Amino acid sequence: MVPPVPRAEKARRTRQRMLDAAARLFAERGWTGTTVEDIARAAEVGVQTVYFTFGTKRALLKELLDTVIAGDPDPVATLDRPWAREVLDAPDPAAQLALQAAGARAVLERAAPVLEVVHAAAAADVELAELWRLNRRQRHTVQLRFAEALLAKAGGTLRDGHDAASAADVALAVLGPETYGLLVGARGWTPARWEHWAADALVRQLLPG
């Protein structure tokens, strides 16, 4: 006899089913083209279940964004995650930049479609505009910490006099969802090709010689 699924596990699976349905529909139809009713129907739950679980469609999108960026629902900060610790612990500057590109690829393969939805919706929705700005600030905070580690490994000198703040700006541009979306989403690059290009671009922009 198969034991019954515990209530907490059943709730977790239902929540994930709604998030998966939302991710698929937002990518296909956009923010305004997707309703809570659509999400409920695709997830095979009642509309009130969606509202009870998330409260609003915006709150659902925010949780979806957090989940796809992290790769799981655990409340662990990016800089405390294993891939980020590996970046910080890299033995030399070139190895660190390669790991930064690899880490960004892993995140963006999951998160780029959702980030694109948030970015597109931000033009007409004040709350989602703030969510987009918050995400960009969070990405810069991570890149700034990486840049500080890079500067230390490079003996305090980066190419063209970059300090940690401007090095973080460069990484934010090269590794951002806008660049990834253009090259992978619009131009058809593979994620592997993008990763190789991004690592090479960071080395050429930031490392002396």
Side-chain angles (χ1 to χ4, degrees):
M1 180 178 178
V2 178
V5 178
R7 181 176 298 179
E9 176 61 16
K10 184 177 180 180
R12 186 198 67 78
R13 292 180 186 179
T14 301
R15 190 185 202 96
Q16 189 60 53
R17 198 162 69 246
M18 290 185 282
L19 289 169
D20 291 343
R24 183 174 68 257
L25 292 172
F26 285 144
E28 293 173 355
R29 306 178 186 179
W31 168 252
T32 57
T34 301
T35 66
V36 172
E37 289 77 10
D38 294 331
I39 295 167
R41 190 179 307 111
E44 300 181 340
V45 299
V47 172
Q48 289 306 313
T49 300
V50 180
Y51 282 116
F52 178 80
T53 304
F54 300 102
T56 66
K57 190 170 78 162
R58 289 186 186 88
L60 189 161
L61 179 57
K62 182 181 184 303
E63 181 169 330
L64 174 62
L65 181 62
D66 290 343
T67 302
V68 294
I69 287 173
D72 58 56
D74 299 334
V76 179
T78 297
L79 288 170
D80 292 328
R81 289 184 171 271
W83 76 266
R85 300 308 310 174
E86 189 177 3
V87 169
L88 293 170
D89 294 340
D92 60 74
Q96 176 179 322
L97 293 176
L99 288 169
Q100 281 180 241
R105 171 190 169 183
V107 171
L108 290 170
E109 283 193 273
R110 297 189 302 266
V114 180
L115 283 162
E116 185 175 344
V117 170
V118 175
H119 193 193
D125 188 296
V126 173
E127 291 184 45
L128 294 183
E130 178 54 33
L131 178 60
W132 175 254
R133 287 190 292 269
L134 174 62
N135 173 265
R136 189 165 53 195
R137 288 195 299 270
Q138 290 170 334
R139 285 187 277 121
H140 189 269
T141 296
V142 171
Q143 295 303 334
L144 181 59
R145 180 66 188 89
F146 288 165
E148 291 167 348
L150 183 73
L151 190 62
K153 291 169 190 171
T157 302
L158 296 178
R159 189 182 182 94
D160 295 334
H162 279 299
D163 59 10
S166 61
D169 294 340
V170 170
L172 189 70
V174 172
L175 301 177
E178 302 91 342
T179 304
Y180 182 91
L182 172 64
L183 295 178
V184 177
R187 298 304 308 158
W189 286 26
T190 65
R193 182 183 179 189
W194 177 87
E195 179 188 334
H196 176 79
W197 168 84
D200 183 66
L202 290 174
V203 168
R204 291 173 183 272
Q205 288 294 314
L206 296 177
L207 299 190

